[in-house]
Amino acid sequence: MARSRVLTGWNLFVFGSLFQAVVVVLADGMNFRSFYFTEEPTDIIVQKGQPAILNCSAVGDPAPTIEWKKDQLFLNLVGDTRRTILPNGSLRINNVTHSRNDRPDEGLYECVATVDNLGTIVSRTARLQVATLGRFEEEPRSTSAFLGDTAIFRCSVDAVPPAKIRWQKNREGIETSNDIDRMIVLPSGALEIRDVQMSDETSYRCKATNMEGTRRSEEERLTLVYGGSRTRTPEFVNTPQNTEVIQGQEVILECAANGLPEPSMSWWKDGQPLAPGRDPESHYSFVGNSNLRIRLASESDSGTYVCSATNVLGTFDARAELLVQVPPRFEREPSSLHAYMNTDIKFECEVYGVPFPTIEWIKNGDIITPSEYFQIVDGTNLKILGLVKSDEGLYQCKARNKIGNIQTSAQLIIVNRGIYTSPATGLTPTYPRDLVALIRSTRFVTLSWREPRLTHGNIIAYSVYFRRQGSPRERVVNTTSVMQVTVHDLIPSTRYEFRVKAYNDHGPGESSAVAYIETQPEVQVPGPVLHLRGVAVSTTAIKVYWDPPSHRNGEIINYKIYYAQTARLNSEEDVNHIGMQFTKSGLKPYTDYTFRLVAYNENGPGVSSDEIIIRTYSDKPTEPPANVTIIPQSSRSLEITWDPPPLDACNGEITGYKIRWKQSDRRQSNPITIQGGLRSFIVGELDRDTIYEIKMAAMTVNGTGPPTDWMEGRTLENDLDETQVPPEPTSFKARPMTDTIVVLWTPPPVESNVMVRGYTIGYGIGIPDTITIDIDDPSRRHHTIKNLQPSSPYIITLRAYNNMGSGPQVYQTVNTRAESTTLAPPPARSSTTTPEPTKSLWPPVGVKAIVLSSSAVRVKWSDSTLNNKQRIPDNRIYTVMYKTNYPASAKPRYVNSTALEYTIDELKPGTMYEFTVRLTKGKKTSAWSLSVFNKTHESTPGTAPRTLTIVPVEGKPSVINLNWQPPKSPNGRITGYIIYYTTDNSQRDHDWVIMPYVGDRLTATIDDLTTDTTYYFKIQARNEEGVGPMSEIVEYKTPQDDGFGGGVKNQGTGSFVGGSGREGPTTSAKSDDDGEMSNMVIWIVVGCIVAGCFIIGALIFAIYMCNRRSDSMMAKKRKQGGAYKAPPKGAKKPGAKDVKPPDLWIHHDQMELKQMEKPPMPEPMTQIPRNPDDMKPLDDPSMDTLTKRNSFTGDDDPDLTSGDRTRPPPEGKRKPIMIPVDPQPPPPRETIATATVLPNGSVSPPLRPSYPKTQYNAPSSGSGSTTRNPNIDQPEFRVKTQFNYPMTRSKSLERPGFMTLSSSGYQSDNTTVSSDDGNKTLPPSLATTRPGHPLKSFSVPGPPPHYSSNPAAAQQKHLIKPGLPGQVSPHKKATVTVSGAKTRMQPMPVNTPRAPDVAVRVRGDNPAENADGKSFSTEDLNAEMANLEGLMKDLNAITSTELDC
């Protein structure tokens, strides 16, 4: 009820407004005023120098003023005495001027009438021509003719107006000749002489006359020809020409032919025979010999006319097109209108004519150019948008074609809107609120607003006013109470002003605030082309014309013309062209084609035009009728049956058939022409038991196609009896295959003399006649039953029939073969029959494979066992084997034929096949023939491209990459792909943006997309034959400007996922699983990744902190004087694995000395050289001196100077290697490395060569066992090794006991070490190894022992210099040299100072000053360090069976 009240209120408002408008119009006198032409100028032809008058008059209030235009320009007649305007408005030219170089009066004239305060109208256009008589275009030529023939003389001249042609015979007019009944002058000016006589052999000339004068041609002769052949085929001497005639006029189509016997002449129109007579009042009549006259031609007379000449030697045709032209006429004229400002109006103007007229709109005498506000719609109507006051005036619709032009006018009055108030006076609404744009596109905007704050009643309507910013022309869109409207027909990238008014029962309310909205930008592509039209120019060519687009948006580079057969899907092709017209040749005759155009500029393709449909001209058939069969009906007649030519060979509508028949022993034949709808014909009145030859051809309006070969048929010796049913057929055989059965038979016995009209075959599994097949051809002798089940018993029946009914049947029971049988079997034979000796048959020869289409091939061959006519007299079978080599596993297929050809269908397009044939005759089978190869025609792709995927480009929201896969069925080589995309998927395909790509590429990039916009994409493949089907549409939304949002639309949820790579994975058109991933799953995946990263980071941090803690604990133990206690021998750590002990040479930096089972004590540390460069070679002089160096705890670089050693040891060091030291007897060895004190106080690092597996043993003067002193404690050492050269282990080191050897020859089991806590016992193995041990010794021998009663006293440091006994430091004792005798020496104590845990700092020039104030001389420190280095090198050469990694 509420809706009804709203509509009632709105109707009340509308009717009230209209009523007020009418009142305003009547009050202001704004009614339509009468103003029109009473007479308009017409075309005239005048002689040069003669006066001419162009009539024109018009009526109006007040009286109109008349002006004239010539060729679109106003004539300035002020002071012109030769041209004046008469009082009634006509234009008079006193004397028409015309010369070869000056033709000022010829042209197009228009009368222009104007009424003040009303407007201007323009008359129709009139042409003024000056009479001329030019030269002959065609003059008579001498000709010859047989007696009784028809002779033609031609004559034509260029003249205005057309000249009248007269003929003279011997310079006398033929009008006075006695042979006037045999002579006629045709409209073309030709002279036709029928039934030529001897008196006609003379001279002839023509005379052309019009208002300008007379011209005569040269004389030419007619010569008679005597003798010649008895017969002559028809030959045209005059043929019809394409003719155009104005509706209502008379037209004559000329045609004449000679032949012997004289041919009979007939006319056909559009395939239908005409029956013209000699009555001149009839619509069709003969003129002269065989010329066709059409009286009062009408539009229905347009068409194709065929003149046919026939005699016993053949039939020949000549055709012509007749076009009846119709002047323009108005079907609907525009009406005068009252309209409000800001509204849109449309003037309707419908016209008709042949050719179709063009429309031109004129406002107040000026031609209207289509623009944004003045638009030509529906081809002929004028639409004006957003009326303003200046649009008032007179509008004219002017239509013209080549025959004439007409005009009509209408008046437009602009009415100001009044303010309507209802009888119940009240308040109007306030302004609507919050006017915003919901959707902002390129050419439309969707607006929304809120209801006014004060409605003062029911809101019944809203009016939305809008205009282009800066334009005075405002438009309005009205809507109901719905507060939303879509405004269309906007311009891209343009700023518009919008405002809204609300209406209630009392009228319009206040206007809302202006909202400024700018439409989205659009690629500046051209608009559609204008006035696309086309015409067939031949049977294989079409010419199209067009005008450039009204909106070009730049220079037009070229046009792309799309054309396709209307009856063939997905066959559209395209061609690029530059120009305003294009002729497409190579088309099929009598075929409908669609054409459309797209203009291209520098920005790409524009908007497609509408399609037009054009049909090519028909042509005569290119193939004869098919399946022509001759059946004897009686002793005096033969029946001919046939099928039309193939569809693609008809080339038009088959209008008839021409049949020629003759006896086989005669040359002269008899023609018969029958209608095109027939499929059989009986030739009667023949001789009994006589062989006749028959051939036939198909006809169209264009002529007769090629005939068939002569075919023989024999009439019956006696008339057959049809008063009884025929007897049963003979020689009935059924040959089973896997899924087919070939049925063969012969007719009933001839002696039965019974008529046979056809045969009926029945078959079924175990039951006869479940399915029946009627064969209407009584000459058939075989039939193939298809689509049977393998390995099944079938009962086959056969019987003949005639008009009396079916005769008795014969039957056979056969079993189809199993599916595993691939070869076509030879004829079935009984298992009990002994095979007869096989005599080889010649295989078929001349095998040809003729490609018929993309899926069919016709295989033909010849049988060398047959006669020259290749007639098959028996029941032989030909087996055709065919296969393709792709795929390689493809199996051959077999078909059987009883003829010398077979058409194989259901083949794959664009595929190479191999064909071979063999012959089966009775129980014999030939070898396979030579193979032939041929490739089926390509076809359009059978499937669409697969897996269309959209991949966004990171950082570029307006660019995407498209990926796809080729079609599953390409049906040929893919030559390219066509991508379609649009923002409106409701558009037709050719209105989408089209991106063609040439080649087999499978990816494309599309840029310049609009951000935050939904696009639709699809793709199709193309090959040489055309384009395939479209893929499924993929809906994609581009991301926002900041790169977020967008993606491919999930069809299940409707959301967009995978936009810019920030919100999810890229989605494919086919990937349904990916499309179903929800945002929750994506967040779970992201959370798992973040949690994994956090756990990994925590593990790394924990490992790092454990390493720091281990180092700090070790440093703390060293500081506290503790030592690491190794587990008992053979024990394992909890959870430890049984691993192979590492090789010292490889894993030395991961090992440490194991703690011996001794009381804890400080851990002396020494620095081992890192590389061979730190060691002196054997022949270096510095090796003669051994200098002790202070030992530091840490990982100091051996190359550091004393100043560099002031740095504290770095944290996070590797875990030191703990090597257990066991006592072993010492082997003799030699010193191989020393450290030398340089003059500047620094220590030269010992150099050691890196020769692997080289043993350095010092020479010994004696040998003996070494015992261990149990009274001396053995300290344990933790040595951090750093080697760059290889070392080897030896199991011999596992035995207890150590041996020491110095260069002086003494040996000792233990070595006393001086430390801060006193003297301690050092295992002698730290300095030596067992003799013959495979390890290399890198120890430095220690000095002789020195015992002190005061353990706290400072111990002396020793420097061993072999070979230099005289050079002794004051702080050291002299070395003892061994002369070679074996001497038992006491152990020599070695004082090894322990380096402090606190880093040593060097202050000033005293490098020996430590952190706690104690100082040592440089020489003492260096000597101690050198001694400890040698000891540490030996420790690294020792390995144990228990290692801790």
Side-chain angles (χ1 to χ4, degrees):
M1 297 299 294
R3 180 177 177 84
S4 300
R5 287 195 298 271
V6 169
L7 293 178
T8 302
W10 172 248
N11 293 337
L12 179 63
F13 168 72
V14 171
F15 288 132
S17 299
L18 292 176
F19 175 78
Q20 184 177 10
V22 172
V23 172
V24 172
V25 168
L26 295 178
D28 296 346
M30 299 179 64
N31 54 340
F32 302 119
R33 298 158 63 182
S34 179
F35 180 31
Y36 58 91
F37 285 105
T38 57
E39 186 176 11
E40 296 183 71
T42 57
D43 297 344
I44 59 172
I45 300 174
V46 296
Q47 287 183 279
K48 179 177 60 178
Q50 297 297 318
I53 295 179
L54 295 169
N55 296 319
C56 179
S57 62
V59 295
D61 184 20
T65 58
I66 302 296
E67 295 178 287
W68 281 87
K69 280 184 177 182
K70 176 182 178 292
D71 298 332
Q72 298 295 323
L73 298 176
F74 281 100
L75 293 177
N76 184 8
L77 303 180
V78 176
D80 192 337
T81 58
R82 194 172 63 85
R83 298 176 296 184
T84 57
I85 298 179
L86 301 179
N88 65 348
S90 300
L91 175 65
R92 174 183 174 86
I93 303 175
N94 294 329
N95 58 328
V96 175
T97 302
H98 185 83
S99 64
R100 178 174 299 178
N101 300 322
D102 186 20
R103 300 179 181 181
D105 297 329
E106 273 192 336
L108 301 176
Y109 288 83
E110 293 174 318
C111 178
V112 181
T114 304
V115 173
D116 293 339
N117 300 323
L118 181 57
T120 301
I121 56 177
V122 181
S123 71
R124 67 177 299 275
T125 302
R127 180 185 295 274
L128 187 148
Q129 293 178 289
V130 178
T132 59
L133 182 61
R135 298 179 180 275
F136 283 101
E137 294 179 338
E138 188 175 14
E139 293 189 79
R141 294 182 180 180
S142 296
T143 187
S144 59
F146 290 94
L147 285 175
D149 280 356
T150 299
I152 298 292
F153 285 101
R154 305 185 184 280
C155 180
S156 63
V157 66
D158 181 17
V160 178
K164 183 176 182 179
I165 305 297
R166 293 183 175 88
W167 284 88
Q168 293 179 341
K169 177 182 179 182
N170 289 332
R171 299 198 176 187
E172 294 183 1
I174 61 173
E175 296 86 356
T176 61
S177 173
N178 295 329
D179 302 322
I180 184 61
D181 59 333
R182 294 188 298 107
M183 297 183 181
I184 182 175
V185 180
L186 301 173
S188 65
L191 172 65
E192 179 186 276
I193 305 175
R194 293 185 294 116
D195 191 14
V196 172
Q197 306 295 325
M198 295 181 61
S199 60
D200 297 331
E201 189 173 16
T202 185
S203 60
Y204 297 84
R205 70 176 181 179
C206 67
K207 182 175 66 174
T209 304
N210 72 353
M211 61 191 305
E212 183 63 16
T214 301
R215 280 186 183 276
R216 293 181 175 84
S217 70
E218 298 293 333
E219 290 183 333
E220 299 294 341
R221 289 187 60 82
L222 172 62
T223 304
L224 294 180
V225 179
Y226 301 92
S229 175
R230 295 181 183 180
T231 59
R232 288 181 286 125
T233 58
E235 180 181 0
F236 287 103
V237 293
N238 196 11
T239 56
Q241 305 296 317
N242 294 337
T243 305
E244 295 179 352
V245 63
I246 299 177
Q247 186 180 26
Q249 294 182 355
E250 182 181 276
V251 61
I252 294 179
L253 299 177
E254 305 172 8
C255 184
N258 294 324
L260 191 64
E262 181 181 357
S264 62
M265 306 299 293
S266 59
W267 282 90
W268 301 67
K269 177 185 180 293
D270 295 334
Q272 301 299 321
L274 300 177
R278 293 291 174 178
D279 183 5
E281 297 299 323
S282 63
H283 189 65
Y284 296 108
S285 62
F286 280 120
V287 175
N289 185 10
S290 55
N291 305 293
L292 179 65
R293 176 173 59 186
I294 303 175
R295 180 175 176 268
L296 299 177
S298 63
E299 191 175 353
S300 61
D301 292 323
S302 296
T304 302
Y305 289 80
V306 176
C307 176
S308 180
T310 305
N311 68 5
V312 296
L313 297 181
T315 301
F316 295 87
D317 301 328
R319 73 175 184 87
E321 297 287 336
L322 174 64
L323 177 63
V324 179
Q325 298 175 333
V326 180
R329 66 172 182 264
F330 286 110
E331 300 287 336
R332 175 182 291 182
E333 299 185 19
S335 302
S336 298
L337 298 174
H338 289 98
Y340 290 116
M341 291 183 63
N342 304 329
T343 59
D344 302 341
I345 59 100
K346 182 170 69 174
F347 285 113
E348 295 184 348
C349 182
E350 296 183 8
V351 297
Y352 180 78
V354 179
F356 191 82
T358 59
I359 297 295
E360 186 178 66
W361 281 92
I362 301 172
K363 180 203 171 192
N364 291 334
D366 297 325
I367 297 176
I368 295 176
T369 301
S371 64
E372 178 185 356
Y373 299 104
F374 289 86
Q375 301 175 357
I376 304 298
V377 296
D378 301 328
T380 57
N381 301 328
L382 175 65
K383 187 175 183 180
I384 306 175
L385 306 179
L387 291 175
V388 294
K389 191 65 176 178
S390 61
D391 292 333
E392 278 189 337
L394 295 172
Y395 290 82
Q396 288 181 273
C397 176
K398 196 169 187 178
R400 70 175 73 241
N401 64 10
K402 61 191 303 183
I403 305 304
N405 62 92
I406 53 176
Q407 63 83 28
T408 184
S409 61
Q411 186 178 358
L412 173 64
I413 297 177
I414 305 298
V415 180
N416 293 325
R417 290 182 181 270
I419 301 177
Y420 168 76
T421 56
S422 66
T425 304
L427 299 176
T428 58
T430 58
Y431 59 88
R433 299 172 294 167
D434 301 334
L435 176 61
V436 295
L438 294 181
I439 302 176
R440 183 171 56 93
S441 184
T442 56
R443 298 185 180 272
F444 70 89
V445 171
T446 299
L447 301 174
S448 175
W449 59 88
R450 294 172 56 196
E451 192 177 58
R453 189 178 301 276
L454 299 176
T455 60
H456 301 296
N458 293 328
I459 299 297
I460 60 176
Y462 290 95
S463 291
V464 179
Y465 296 85
F466 66 98
R467 65 179 175 181
R468 191 174 180 178
Q469 189 173 9
S471 172
R473 189 179 294 270
E474 190 174 44
R475 301 172 58 189
V476 63
V477 175
N478 296 316
T479 182
T480 59
S481 57
V482 178
M483 290 175 288
Q484 182 174 317
V485 70
T486 299
V487 181
H488 295 276
D489 300 327
L490 305 180
I491 301 175
S493 301
T494 305
R495 190 175 177 85
Y496 285 87
E497 300 175 0
F498 294 89
R499 61 188 180 92
V500 185
K501 283 186 179 181
Y503 292 80
N504 62 9
D505 294 334
H506 308 294
E510 301 176 5
S511 175
S512 68
V514 175
Y516 297 92
I517 301 173
E518 184 174 354
T519 53
Q520 293 280 4
E522 185 180 56
V523 177
Q524 298 299 314
V525 296
V529 298
L530 303 178
H531 309 133
L532 177 62
R533 55 205 183 275
V535 61
V537 295
S538 70
T539 59
T540 59
I542 291 176
K543 191 174 186 178
V544 290
Y545 310 82
W546 63 89
D547 295 329
S550 58
H551 300 285
R552 305 184 188 182
N553 294 324
E555 180 182 359
I556 300 297
I557 299 176
N558 68 289
Y559 296 92
K560 180 165 286 190
I561 304 165
Y562 295 87
Y563 63 94
Q565 296 184 40
T566 55
R568 185 177 176 185
L569 297 177
N570 300 322
S571 62
E572 189 173 60
E573 301 180 31
D574 57 79
V575 61
N576 292 322
H577 182 69
I578 299 176
M580 295 292 108
Q581 60 184 19
F582 173 74
T583 300
K584 174 58 185 174
S585 57
L587 305 178
K588 295 181 179 181
Y590 200 68
T591 304
D592 288 335
Y593 286 87
T594 60
F595 285 83
R596 64 183 181 90
L597 264 72
V598 175
Y600 279 71
N601 63 8
E602 60 182 4
N603 297 317
V607 182
S608 173
S609 67
D610 292 332
E611 290 183 345
I612 60 173
I613 300 178
I614 309 170
R615 176 179 292 178
T616 52
Y617 288 143
S618 60
D619 198 358
K620 59 185 181 182
T622 55
E623 290 189 22
N627 301 325
V628 180
T629 305
I630 302 174
I631 306 171
Q633 290 293 310
S634 66
S635 61
R636 300 295 302 275
S637 64
L638 294 173
E639 183 181 11
I640 308 171
T641 62
W642 66 88
D643 290 329
L647 185 61
D648 56 352
C650 290
N651 299 333
E653 182 180 356
I654 300 298
T655 59
Y657 295 94
K658 290 184 178 180
I659 301 174
R660 305 189 71 85
W661 61 271
K662 67 182 181 67
Q663 292 186 12
S664 60
D665 56 351
R666 296 182 182 180
R667 295 184 56 189
Q668 185 174 356
S669 62
N670 301 286
I672 301 174
T673 302
I674 60 176
Q675 295 182 359
L678 299 178
R679 294 294 179 268
S680 64
F681 184 78
I682 297 177
V683 182
E685 299 181 1
L686 305 178
D687 295 337
R688 185 187 305 270
D689 193 20
T690 304
I691 298 176
Y692 286 88
E693 292 183 346
I694 298 174
K695 69 177 181 180
M696 64 183 304
M699 299 170 52
T700 63
V701 295
N702 305 89
T704 305
T708 62
D709 296 331
W710 288 105
M711 294 175 293
E712 292 184 353
R714 192 184 192 106
T715 56
L716 299 175
E717 183 178 359
N718 298 304
D719 289 338
L720 298 177
D721 182 16
E722 203 171 0
T723 60
Q724 58 180 340
V725 296
E728 63 184 25
T730 59
S731 302
F732 176 54
K733 296 181 181 180
R735 303 189 185 281
M737 307 299 169
T738 302
D739 57 356
T740 60
I741 296 178
V742 179
V743 182
L744 304 129
W745 70 90
T746 56
V750 178
E751 57 270 13
S752 65
N753 200 28
V754 178
M755 173 66 69
V756 176
R757 297 290 182 181
Y759 299 91
T760 300
I761 298 176
Y763 64 95
I765 300 178
I767 302 175
D769 297 339
T770 302
I771 301 175
T772 58
I773 302 172
D774 290 332
I775 300 175
D776 298 331
D777 183 4
S779 63
R780 285 282 294 275
R781 299 293 182 265
H782 64 88
H783 181 77
T784 301
I785 305 174
K786 300 180 179 180
N787 301 323
L788 303 181
Q789 298 181 11
S791 302
S792 301
Y794 281 89
I795 299 178
I796 313 298
T797 63
L798 175 69
R799 52 188 176 270
Y801 68 86
N802 57 18
N803 292 334
M804 292 299 295
S806 299
Q809 67 181 11
V810 293
Y811 68 90
Q812 276 194 9
T813 300
V814 293
N815 291 326
T816 51
R817 294 183 176 272
E819 288 182 336
S820 59
T821 303
T822 57
L823 294 177
R829 62 167 70 126
S830 174
S831 60
T832 61
T833 303
T834 302
E836 64 180 6
T838 59
K839 181 181 179 180
S840 61
L841 295 176
W842 288 99
V845 296
V847 180
K848 298 179 180 179
I850 304 171
V851 178
L852 302 180
S853 66
S854 60
S855 61
V857 172
R858 180 179 297 165
V859 183
K860 293 185 176 182
W861 60 89
S862 299
D863 192 342
S864 58
T865 64
L866 300 177
N867 55 21
N868 293 335
K869 293 187 178 181
Q870 294 287 295
R871 293 182 178 177
I872 302 175
D874 49 23
N875 297 327
R876 61 183 65 197
I877 296 178
Y878 300 93
T879 301
V880 181
M881 179 180 70
Y882 63 97
K883 66 176 182 177
T884 178
N885 293 328
Y886 181 81
S889 60
K891 296 182 179 180
R893 302 185 66 183
Y894 302 85
V895 292
N896 291 320
S897 173
T898 56
L900 294 176
E901 65 177 37
Y902 191 88
T903 300
I904 304 173
D905 52 7
E906 297 182 359
L907 301 179
K908 294 181 180 179
T911 305
M912 180 68 71
Y913 281 90
E914 176 186 358
F915 303 89
T916 182
V917 186
R918 76 177 179 184
L919 168 63
T920 300
K921 182 180 179 182
K923 300 177 182 180
K924 302 175 184 178
T925 301
S926 72
W928 291 105
S929 67
L930 295 177
S931 297
V932 295
F933 297 84
N934 211 336
K935 186 178 182 180
T936 54
H937 295 321
E938 291 187 358
S939 179
T940 57
T943 56
R946 298 169 292 170
T947 319
L948 177 60
T949 305
I950 301 176
V951 180
V953 177
E954 184 69 25
K956 297 181 179 180
S958 63
V959 181
I960 63 171
N961 291 325
L962 294 181
N963 301 324
W964 62 89
Q965 294 299 317
K968 186 176 181 180
S969 300
N971 293 341
R973 186 178 66 88
I974 297 298
T975 60
Y977 294 90
I978 303 175
I979 296 175
Y980 296 77
Y981 68 94
T982 183
T983 57
D984 183 7
N985 62 348
S986 64
Q987 294 179 332
R988 294 177 297 178
D989 288 346
H990 57 72
D991 291 330
W992 291 41
V993 179
I994 301 175
M995 300 287 290
Y997 291 92
V998 179
D1000 55 357
R1001 60 188 299 179
L1002 299 177
T1003 182
T1005 300
I1006 299 180
D1007 51 10
D1008 294 336
L1009 300 180
T1010 304
T1011 57
D1012 198 20
T1013 303
T1014 300
Y1015 285 85
Y1016 303 89
F1017 294 86
K1018 58 184 177 180
I1019 187 174
Q1020 63 181 169
R1022 65 178 299 170
N1023 56 19
E1024 296 294 341
E1025 292 298 316
V1027 296
M1030 293 284 188
S1031 68
E1032 296 181 2
I1033 295 178
V1034 178
E1035 186 175 351
Y1036 176 80
K1037 186 174 182 181
T1038 54
Q1040 302 173 4
D1041 291 333
D1042 55 3
F1044 287 94
V1048 177
K1049 186 174 182 179
N1050 186 324
Q1051 299 299 328
T1053 63
S1055 61
F1056 291 91
V1057 296
S1060 61
R1062 304 189 186 188
E1063 298 181 358
T1066 303
T1067 305
S1068 167
K1070 299 291 183 181
S1071 180
D1072 297 334
D1073 295 336
D1074 293 342
E1076 295 176 358
M1077 178 177 290
S1078 63
N1079 291 335
M1080 182 62 68
V1081 175
I1082 295 176
W1083 283 112
I1084 292 174
V1085 172
V1086 173
C1088 292
I1089 295 174
V1090 173
C1093 295
F1094 177 80
I1095 293 173
I1096 293 173
L1099 290 176
I1100 295 174
F1101 179 79
I1103 293 172
Y1104 173 77
M1105 294 302 296
C1106 288
N1107 288 339
R1108 292 193 58 184
R1109 181 179 180 184
S1110 176
D1111 290 343
S1112 62
M1113 291 178 65
M1114 295 301 298
K1116 184 176 181 181
K1117 288 182 179 181
R1118 288 193 298 270
K1119 186 174 181 180
Q1120 295 174 356
Y1124 175 80
K1125 183 176 182 181
K1129 186 175 182 179
K1132 295 183 180 180
K1133 293 182 180 180
K1137 296 182 180 180
D1138 294 332
V1139 297
K1140 182 179 179 180
D1143 195 329
L1144 276 175
W1145 298 108
I1146 302 173
H1147 305 280
H1148 59 83
D1149 58 339
Q1150 301 176 9
M1151 301 174 62
E1152 62 184 356
L1153 290 172
K1154 285 197 171 182
Q1155 182 178 359
M1156 303 297 295
E1157 296 181 1
K1158 298 292 180 181
M1161 63 177 298
E1163 304 170 307
M1165 300 294 293
T1166 185
Q1167 182 69 33
I1168 307 302
R1170 295 178 179 268
N1171 51 61
D1173 295 338
D1174 297 333
M1175 307 164 71
K1176 298 295 183 181
L1178 293 175
D1179 55 355
D1180 194 293
S1182 62
M1183 294 185 64
D1184 297 334
T1185 305
L1186 177 63
T1187 305
K1188 295 182 180 180
R1189 194 185 336 182
N1190 193 13
S1191 176
F1192 289 86
T1193 301
D1195 193 17
D1196 298 315
D1197 192 336
D1199 295 335
L1200 291 175
T1201 61
S1202 58
D1204 295 328
R1205 294 192 184 95
T1206 60
R1207 295 176 300 173
E1211 296 182 357
K1213 298 296 181 178
R1214 299 176 186 173
K1215 186 177 181 180
I1217 301 174
M1218 304 299 294
I1219 303 177
V1221 181
D1222 297 330
Q1224 295 185 11
R1229 64 182 179 88
E1230 65 179 2
T1231 303
I1232 61 172
T1234 60
T1236 305
V1237 180
L1238 299 179
N1240 58 4
S1242 63
V1243 179
S1244 174
L1247 299 179
R1248 185 183 308 276
S1250 59
Y1251 301 116
K1253 298 184 180 181
T1254 302
Q1255 185 168 356
Y1256 299 89
N1257 295 324
S1260 179
S1261 59
S1263 64
S1265 62
T1266 305
T1267 59
R1268 180 175 178 181
N1269 189 350
N1271 299 324
I1272 302 177
D1273 294 336
Q1274 299 179 6
E1276 66 176 6
F1277 289 87
R1278 188 179 69 171
V1279 180
K1280 187 168 184 178
T1281 62
Q1282 308 235 356
F1283 283 113
N1284 291 328
Y1285 46 86
M1287 299 181 67
T1288 37
R1289 297 172 51 242
S1290 176
K1291 294 183 178 180
S1292 61
L1293 294 178
E1294 298 175 6
R1295 296 191 302 266
F1298 285 87
M1299 175 180 65
T1300 60
L1301 176 65
S1302 69
S1303 57
S1304 58
Y1306 69 87
Q1307 297 178 346
S1308 176
D1309 289 339
N1310 298 294
T1311 302
T1312 300
V1313 181
S1314 177
S1315 64
D1316 295 339
D1317 299 330
N1319 296 334
K1320 296 187 183 295
T1321 303
L1322 180 67
S1325 61
L1326 297 180
T1328 61
T1329 59
R1330 187 184 302 274
H1333 197 283
L1335 289 178
K1336 283 135 319 254
S1337 175
F1338 297 94
S1339 300
V1340 177
H1346 175 75
Y1347 302 97
S1348 174
S1349 61
N1350 186 8
Q1355 303 296 322
Q1356 292 183 345
K1357 284 70 179 175
H1358 303 277
L1359 178 62
I1360 302 174
K1361 296 182 180 180
L1364 296 174
Q1367 299 179 5
V1368 179
S1369 174
H1371 301 281
K1372 300 172 180 62
K1373 294 184 178 182
T1375 60
V1376 179
T1377 303
V1378 180
S1379 61
K1382 297 180 181 179
T1383 306
R1384 174 79 174 181
M1385 301 296 295
Q1386 296 297 325
M1388 180 186 66
V1390 180
N1391 296 325
T1392 305
R1394 179 179 181 275
D1397 291 334
V1398 184
V1400 178
R1401 293 184 178 273
V1402 179
R1403 296 186 181 93
D1405 297 333
N1406 186 5
E1409 186 178 354
N1410 55 18
D1412 57 356
K1414 298 180 181 180
S1415 64
F1416 301 91
S1417 67
T1418 302
E1419 182 180 1
D1420 292 341
L1421 291 176
N1422 290 339
E1424 289 290 338
M1425 290 303 302
N1427 188 33
L1428 285 179
E1429 272 191 349
L1431 295 176
M1432 292 303 102
K1433 290 169 187 174
D1434 282 347
L1435 286 176
N1436 283 288
I1438 299 171
T1439 182
S1440 174
T1441 57
E1442 292 184 26
L1443 300 172
D1444 185 14
C1445 296

